[in-house]
Each structure stands twice: as C-alpha cells, then as structure tokens.
Amino acid sequence: MHPNDPRLRTFVDVDAASDFPIQNLPYGVFSMPEQPELRVGVAIGSQILDLAVLESAGLIRCDEVRGVFAKPSLNAFMALGPKVWSQTRGRISELLRHDNPELRDNADLRMRALVPRNRAQMHMPIRVAGFTDFYSSKEHATNVGTMFRDKANPLLPNWLHIPIGYNGRASTVVVSGTPIRRPRGQLKPPTAELPNFGPCKRLDFELEIGVVIGQGSAMGEMLTERQAEEMIFGFTLLNDWSARDIQQWEYVPLGPFQAKAFGTSISPWVVTREALEPFRVHGPAQDPKPLPYLRQTQPNNYDIRLEVDLRTEKMAKSARICRTNFKYMYWSSVQQLVHHASSGCAMNVGDLLGSGTISGPEKAEHGSMLELSWNGTTPLEIDGGERRSFLEDGDSLRIRGWCQGDGYRVGFGEVEGSIVAVE
Amino acid sequence: MHPNDPRLRTFVDVDAASDFPIQNLPYGVFSMPEQPELRVGVAIGSQILDLAVLESAGLIRCDEVRGVFAKPSLNAFMALGPKVWSQTRGRISELLRHDNPELRDNADLRMRALVPRNRAQMHMPIRVAGFTDFYSSKEHATNVGTMFRDKANPLLPNWLHIPIGYNGRASTVVVSGTPIRRPRGQLKPPTAELPNFGPCKRLDFELEIGVVIGQGSAMGEMLTERQAEEMIFGFTLLNDWSARDIQQWEYVPLGPFQAKAFGTSISPWVVTREALEPFRVHGPAQDPKPLPYLRQTQPNNYDIRLEVDLRTEKMAKSARICRTNFKYMYWSSVQQLVHHASSGCAMNVGDLLGSGTISGPEKAEHGSMLELSWNGTTPLEIDGGERRSFLEDGDSLRIRGWCQGDGYRVGFGEVEGSIVAVE
C-alpha cells in the first residue's frame, strides 16, 4: 500500500483526532532530557520515532549515506533528493504498519526508538539557508491596498503578473515556543514631525505556510514547474511577526527591513509534500493569464485548514480569531519558486519560503491583526471581554493547520509564540 | 612596532605600488593547482602566506584552537573574536619582518608557506550567512531621487533618519572573476501595456564596499557603537550587479528582489578593520542629528580611494569610468550595523553588509551606469569611441580600491566580473 493510503494502520496508538497518523509522518529535530544530542525523528500519534536509533539498528538506510539522522537539522537528509525522501517515507511507513513485526515485536528497540512527544524538546527542523517572504494572497494584498492606498485600485499594477516577494532575515527564524520580544524601532506617528526610537506599538502576526526547499539549483539556472515542485521537501506553519509602525516609516523605497527582522516562528514538524498529495486542489483562476514561465499544468495548491487562537494574560483559555485555508492563495508555492530562480538566483538546500499572509474572502478569514481590526479602526472583540487592535505584551498566539482526510487528518501541529515586553 | 607602523619592512619582495605591503596583511581563501584543498592565507606583495602551513609548523596558533586556517572559509577564524584577530595579525607581521629569522631563514618552510599569488586560485573568503545591502550615499540617493521622483525633494522623508537597507540574496554572492550571466526577468517598458519576460536590457553595476561581520549578536540584543565596531572583521570591494528594468517593475511595495538576486561580486581579500585604522576619517556632517541610538563618538568613515574601469569586447585596454572615495558615505558601517540589530535582529558570523552605491559629488564620481549615463539620457563616451548607457554582453568591469599611506598603500586588490550573454 502507498504510504498515503487511508486504510493503513499502525501498531502505535494514534488518537483519531491526532495530527500525526501513519498517513502523515512529518520530520522534525528533537532532543530528550536524558539524551540531549539533537537528532531527526518522525511524529506518530503522541510518540516520536527516532530515526537515528533506527538507522543504528540497521532498520533504515538512506542511499548508502550513513548518519543523516544523527544531525541537528534535516539539511543533510534533504540534500539526498526526492527519490530518497520517498523511499525513506515508504520504509518508515512499512516499519510502523500494524502487521509488520520488525519494530513492533522488538521490545527493546521499540522502547529506544519510540519516545513520548510530550517529554521531547523540539528544535529548528532545518538550518535556514535563506528566508524569502512572499505576498501571494489576493485577499490580503487587496485588504492592505484598500487600507493604505486606493480603494478603487487596491492592487498595484505588478501584483497580478509577479508573485511579489522579498528577501527576509534568516537569522531570526525560530521554532514554535520561542518567546518574541517586542521590537524597538524608528516610529513616526503621522502627527509627529520627527521620528522617535522606541517599542513598537502596532505589533502583528501574519498567518503563513512555510515552504522548505530540499534541493538546490545552480546560479544562472531557470526552473520548470516540474523541477520546482521536485525541489520542495515539505511545509510548515509560519508566523511572520510584523511591526506595522516600523514598517510604515522604513519601507520606501527598498521594502520592509527591521519591521520583519526581529522574529519569524515556524512549527517544528515538516509535513512532506508527498503526504499532502491527496489534498491538492486548483488555486483561484489566474486572470490575466500568467507569463509562460509561470504557467501551471496541474493543481499546485493544497486544501489546508488553518486556525489562529489568541490568549491574553487575562484569559483562562484561548479564543479563535481567524479560520481560513491555504487553498485561497493566488500564487502557488511552485510559481513562487519558479519566479525566485528566474533571474538566475541560486536556490539552496534549507531555503525557506513564506507563502505570504493567508487571508480568505470573509472577515473571519483574515490572517493578521491589521486586517482583523482594519488597521485598528474596528478593534477585535475577543471572547471574555478583551479587545485588541494589535498584540500586547503577554499575548500568546497559536496557529494550527491540517488537511482533513476521510476519518483522519494530516496535521501540522502548531506554531506558538508569546510576546515579551521590552525593558 | 605596531603592525600598522609605516616603518615596518618585510623580507618578502614587495613592490612599492603593491596593494599588499606588510602594513596590510589581508585574509583570503585560496588553493593551488597542486594542492586543491581550500585554506586561509594572507597576501604579502606578490605572494600568499599559507597560514595552514604556518600553523602545522607550530609558528602560529589561535587561542588554543587548532585547524582554523585549514578551512574553506574565514568563518571559523572570525568566530574567535577581535582579540584573536589582533594577536594573529601581530604574529603574522612579526613573522614577516625583515629582521625576524624564524621564517626568513627556514628555507624549506618558507618555500612551502609562501606561494606565488599568480598561480593561486582565489575562492569566496567567507561563507556568507546573510547579505544585507544598504543605500547610504547621500549623493547616490539624491541622484536616483532626482531621476525617478522629485527634483525638488529627491530624498524620501526617512532617508536622513534611517540607514536604509534591505535583505539581499546570500546564495549568489560570488568571488571576483566569476562570470555574470545577463539575468532574465519581467520587464514592462513604459509604453507597453503588459509585461514580457526576457533578458534584462538595463544591466548595471554598483560600486560598493562590503563589510564582513566577524562576530554574532543574540536575538533581542541591541548594539552600541563600540560593540558594533568590534564585530566588524574587515572590508572587501563589492559590486552589486543590478537589473534596472526588472527592478523598476517589481520593486513596489516590497523592494528589489530578482533585480539584485542574480549575482553580487566581492574581492577575494578581506582587509582587516585594524589595517584601516590609520585611514579613519569623519564622515559628512549629519543634519538632522541622528536619533541617540545612531550617534557616533568617533570618526567611523575611511578614506578609501576607489576606481572603476570598463573594458568592452572591442577595446584593447580598459578605460576609467569612475573615481570616487568611500569617505563620502553619509551613514557609516557602524551605524548600519547598529541599525541592523536595533529591532532585535540577530547578527551572525559571516554576515556581509553592502555599503550601498558609493557616489561622490562630481559626475565622474558616480558609482553606477545609471548615474554616469543619467538613466541612459547621456550615454558615456568611452576612450576608443565606444558609448555605453548600460552594460553589454562581453563587457568586463573592474573595481579597485586602496588607502594611500606615506610611501605605501593598503589596498583591496580588485573585483572583476564580465557579462555573459543569456542564450
């Protein structure tokens, strides 16, 4: 059976609502209190399958290359290429099947290879080579354009032709759970004559999907749709924390810089492209027709349900503030990658592409506080009597995402971050 | 004597016009045809001093850490910090002195440790962690603003308050001599209704200095002037190749992306901050006074003379097209770095900051074809009868730079690149 087959079962206990059934098998990097070396594992139910242990035991091997799982990032494994990714996932699926005794009946190995997720410390799954952030939701770009530019013509002339993107800062991409310190920066309120330097007052999140590039391309090389697709290893949730007031003052003419440089959070589990195959969908119709280098012959979007929860310091439990879907994206990840390399830009193993803020057509589907509060003009009323235009110190923001199968889900887990006051 | 002392002499033959006297000692990464392993060396006259050989021979040692010179980049050495940088340079200077027999009189070691530069292959001196490009010449920003925006108000309102910068693409930073393929991209001539995709027609260079960051800082940490200065390991020449037509269509609202992603060239020798000490100068007066976090208590500019030569395929020898100076820069490298970290952005060993195009007040001091040909309206008349508005296939562009001492120069060598046609 193919590792995506809905009929597959595993001998590991997996709750029906789990993000991590045997049809998923996402990769992450973890350590345990009693074993602090970072290594690669796969999430299965409430457990982690330790691939370094499996490799030592001779149950798994990658393309004759040894030790790719006893590493602090997925980069070495990703570098082996899509055939190895697929073979490895197939072998892991086989080892976890309910009717395969290899691991199931080896009590000693099972004990060492399957560890409880709730005791593990998760780390950055990849060493980020470069981080690029796109701007590919038409609804989001339209909302921003309507607020700040021209209601009648909210999209700039290039938007429908180019998957607009910019280089972000790789050094501050962090794993879920890392606290985010409120950034300082130059702020110039519209009424002030001169800028001042101080804590950001309009701190925001951006709900995004992160695309993990697992294969490089040479300088000067263009990519076809097929080549680009095969370079994509997998996907994460991504929160592109943003300082709207710093951005507003700094961004002309060279784009956002410090407004986006203080932190970007990703979920620890990389869901493979292969696991998302059953959830492929066509994106929105593209009109005007993209230039030939950007044309698609297949559905390159994915039906990924996304939710954002906010919990302030005063709230006993979190409240839902957004529910949307990755399928709305106008430009697909494949188009983004083809465009990224189009000038001759080399891509590297470990590059991370942010999809851009994912907003849907309805107000409750907006993927940022900027849109949810309409630039602070209609503060969000949160369950429990709190109101928010932007994020305040102590706020915790949590993004979840999953694909709904028939009786199971292929999930991403979550990316969480809490705002820490700046002294 | 201090390694910068003008009276120092070496037993190695050094031409009076050489960029690399004993007062310089820049670091690079090289290999030889007969010894292809990449390793760290120091340029002295027409020779390279192989530091890996010196370390093996026990003549040099860094902070008890072994093997930092037998590496394909300077990153491991840089990570040891400014005290080690200074001690190491002091020791290398000592070993090269005319009156020190340690290396001078050891014929076998001397033969192995000193190799001719003209037989060496130079490589990227650093593994670029992140590449950030600034926009810090007031003359350049004024020229661009005059051409494309408003002659009466060429500078945008933020320019005099912020060292404006943006994240560039690290994957295509290449060493001098690497051919640059003409990029393709989306172009929309003003008269066209729709964009097309094809070879860039307005290919340009940008004369810049690269600042090599040798120490990291933590996420959330701000830097003082002093801390920022001590994180700077050294400087290179840098050519930020630019596709003006791609840029014009893509850059709103998130800045340049593919217009700058196809290649950035740097010179192979990193001139240390310490070697430039004698050439410190005050930058232009800053009015309005910068915000307190950007204030400087010392001269942070450097008097570095810069020249650009162009040679077309038809020309027998190259012609000077620009002569300017790094001292003109409005925002210093220290201010750029302080601003870079100000939001809480972590800096990494191996980060590279481009100064921004260096233009002086006179027309012959403009650091790009865009300015030299005034956006193509006054094509440059080159010696030998050729004319250029932008760069054409087969053109070779060479930047040189040096500080002039009394009877010696502390030079950068050169960064060269030739334009290759796209098929």
PDB file of all heavy atoms in Angstrom, chain B residues 223-234:
ATOM      1  N   LEU B 223      22.873  46.947  19.901  1.00  0.00           N
ATOM      2  CA  LEU B 223      24.323  47.148  19.905  1.00  0.00           C
ATOM      3  C   LEU B 223      24.661  48.613  20.145  1.00  0.00           C
ATOM      4  O   LEU B 223      23.975  49.506  19.644  1.00  0.00           O
ATOM      5  CB  LEU B 223      24.912  46.736  18.550  1.00  0.00           C
ATOM      6  CG  LEU B 223      24.687  45.288  18.124  1.00  0.00           C
ATOM      7  CD1 LEU B 223      25.202  45.083  16.702  1.00  0.00           C
ATOM      8  CD2 LEU B 223      25.382  44.333  19.091  1.00  0.00           C
ATOM      9  N   THR B 224      25.732  48.837  20.889  1.00  0.00           N
ATOM     10  CA  THR B 224      26.287  50.179  20.998  1.00  0.00           C
ATOM     11  C   THR B 224      27.248  50.410  19.825  1.00  0.00           C
ATOM     12  O   THR B 224      27.647  49.466  19.131  1.00  0.00           O
ATOM     13  CB  THR B 224      27.083  50.347  22.298  1.00  0.00           C
ATOM     14  OG1 THR B 224      28.183  49.433  22.254  1.00  0.00           O
ATOM     15  CG2 THR B 224      26.215  50.035  23.522  1.00  0.00           C
ATOM     16  N   GLU B 225      27.646  51.658  19.665  1.00  0.00           N
ATOM     17  CA  GLU B 225      28.640  51.981  18.631  1.00  0.00           C
ATOM     18  C   GLU B 225      29.885  51.114  18.813  1.00  0.00           C
ATOM     19  O   GLU B 225      30.405  50.540  17.857  1.00  0.00           O
ATOM     20  CB  GLU B 225      29.001  53.470  18.752  1.00  0.00           C
ATOM     21  CG  GLU B 225      30.097  53.924  17.807  1.00  0.00           C
ATOM     22  CD  GLU B 225      30.593  55.341  18.139  1.00  0.00           C
ATOM     23  OE1 GLU B 225      30.352  55.812  19.273  1.00  0.00           O
ATOM     24  OE2 GLU B 225      31.204  55.957  17.242  1.00  0.00           O
ATOM     25  N   ARG B 226      30.358  50.990  20.061  1.00  0.00           N
ATOM     26  CA  ARG B 226      31.567  50.241  20.352  1.00  0.00           C
ATOM     27  C   ARG B 226      31.413  48.752  20.034  1.00  0.00           C
ATOM     28  O   ARG B 226      32.288  48.136  19.409  1.00  0.00           O
ATOM     29  CB  ARG B 226      31.913  50.440  21.843  1.00  0.00           C
ATOM     30  CG  ARG B 226      33.101  49.666  22.344  1.00  0.00           C
ATOM     31  CD  ARG B 226      34.388  50.193  21.715  1.00  0.00           C
ATOM     32  NE  ARG B 226      35.533  49.477  22.227  1.00  0.00           N
ATOM     33  CZ  ARG B 226      36.190  49.815  23.358  1.00  0.00           C
ATOM     34  NH1 ARG B 226      35.804  50.856  24.066  1.00  0.00           N
ATOM     35  NH2 ARG B 226      37.231  49.118  23.755  1.00  0.00           N
ATOM     36  N   GLN B 227      30.281  48.179  20.484  1.00  0.00           N
ATOM     37  CA  GLN B 227      30.043  46.756  20.214  1.00  0.00           C
ATOM     38  C   GLN B 227      29.976  46.480  18.711  1.00  0.00           C
ATOM     39  O   GLN B 227      30.548  45.507  18.224  1.00  0.00           O
ATOM     40  CB  GLN B 227      28.722  46.308  20.866  1.00  0.00           C
ATOM     41  CG  GLN B 227      28.792  46.213  22.379  1.00  0.00           C
ATOM     42  CD  GLN B 227      27.404  46.035  23.002  1.00  0.00           C
ATOM     43  OE1 GLN B 227      26.406  46.552  22.493  1.00  0.00           O
ATOM     44  NE2 GLN B 227      27.354  45.316  24.114  1.00  0.00           N
ATOM     45  N   ALA B 228      29.276  47.346  18.000  1.00  0.00           N
ATOM     46  CA  ALA B 228      29.147  47.149  16.552  1.00  0.00           C
ATOM     47  C   ALA B 228      30.523  47.200  15.904  1.00  0.00           C
ATOM     48  O   ALA B 228      30.872  46.347  15.073  1.00  0.00           O
ATOM     49  CB  ALA B 228      28.220  48.203  15.956  1.00  0.00           C
ATOM     50  N   GLU B 229      31.314  48.176  16.278  1.00  0.00           N
ATOM     51  CA  GLU B 229      32.632  48.304  15.675  1.00  0.00           C
ATOM     52  C   GLU B 229      33.453  47.036  15.886  1.00  0.00           C
ATOM     53  O   GLU B 229      34.099  46.546  14.957  1.00  0.00           O
ATOM     54  CB  GLU B 229      33.364  49.503  16.284  1.00  0.00           C
ATOM     55  CG  GLU B 229      34.682  49.732  15.594  1.00  0.00           C
ATOM     56  CD  GLU B 229      35.533  50.793  16.237  1.00  0.00           C
ATOM     57  OE1 GLU B 229      35.146  51.324  17.300  1.00  0.00           O
ATOM     58  OE2 GLU B 229      36.600  51.093  15.678  1.00  0.00           O
ATOM     59  N   GLU B 230      33.413  46.507  17.087  1.00  0.00           N
ATOM     60  CA  GLU B 230      34.239  45.337  17.401  1.00  0.00           C
ATOM     61  C   GLU B 230      33.760  44.067  16.697  1.00  0.00           C
ATOM     62  O   GLU B 230      34.495  43.089  16.626  1.00  0.00           O
ATOM     63  CB  GLU B 230      34.311  45.133  18.915  1.00  0.00           C
ATOM     64  CG  GLU B 230      35.071  46.274  19.573  1.00  0.00           C
ATOM     65  CD  GLU B 230      35.438  45.990  21.009  1.00  0.00           C
ATOM     66  OE1 GLU B 230      34.777  45.142  21.630  1.00  0.00           O
ATOM     67  OE2 GLU B 230      36.390  46.631  21.505  1.00  0.00           O
ATOM     68  N   MET B 231      32.544  44.075  16.183  1.00  0.00           N
ATOM     69  CA  MET B 231      32.038  42.913  15.435  1.00  0.00           C
ATOM     70  C   MET B 231      32.497  42.924  13.980  1.00  0.00           C
ATOM     71  O   MET B 231      32.365  41.919  13.278  1.00  0.00           O
ATOM     72  CB  MET B 231      30.508  42.880  15.485  1.00  0.00           C
ATOM     73  CG  MET B 231      29.953  42.487  16.854  1.00  0.00           C
ATOM     74  SD  MET B 231      28.183  42.890  17.036  1.00  0.00           S
ATOM     75  CE  MET B 231      27.467  41.864  15.753  1.00  0.00           C
ATOM     76  N   ILE B 232      33.008  44.071  13.529  1.00  0.00           N
ATOM     77  CA  ILE B 232      33.445  44.167  12.126  1.00  0.00           C
ATOM     78  C   ILE B 232      34.844  43.589  11.980  1.00  0.00           C
ATOM     79  O   ILE B 232      35.791  44.081  12.588  1.00  0.00           O
ATOM     80  CB  ILE B 232      33.406  45.630  11.638  1.00  0.00           C
ATOM     81  CG1 ILE B 232      31.955  46.144  11.661  1.00  0.00           C
ATOM     82  CG2 ILE B 232      34.010  45.740  10.227  1.00  0.00           C
ATOM     83  CD1 ILE B 232      31.813  47.624  11.319  1.00  0.00           C
ATOM     84  N   PHE B 233      34.943  42.521  11.178  1.00  0.00           N
ATOM     85  CA  PHE B 233      36.245  41.897  10.946  1.00  0.00           C
ATOM     86  C   PHE B 233      37.023  42.646   9.878  1.00  0.00           C
ATOM     87  O   PHE B 233      38.215  42.891  10.028  1.00  0.00           O
ATOM     88  CB  PHE B 233      36.042  40.447  10.514  1.00  0.00           C
ATOM     89  CG  PHE B 233      37.309  39.738  10.145  1.00  0.00           C
ATOM     90  CD1 PHE B 233      38.187  39.320  11.134  1.00  0.00           C
ATOM     91  CD2 PHE B 233      37.631  39.491   8.812  1.00  0.00           C
ATOM     92  CE1 PHE B 233      39.381  38.672  10.796  1.00  0.00           C
ATOM     93  CE2 PHE B 233      38.809  38.840   8.476  1.00  0.00           C
ATOM     94  CZ  PHE B 233      39.687  38.437   9.468  1.00  0.00           C
ATOM     95  N   GLY B 234      36.364  42.986   8.798  1.00  0.00           N
ATOM     96  CA  GLY B 234      37.099  43.649   7.729  1.00  0.00           C
ATOM     97  C   GLY B 234      36.202  44.074   6.585  1.00  0.00           C
ATOM     98  O   GLY B 234      34.972  44.054   6.695  1.00  0.00           O
TER      99      GLY B 234
END
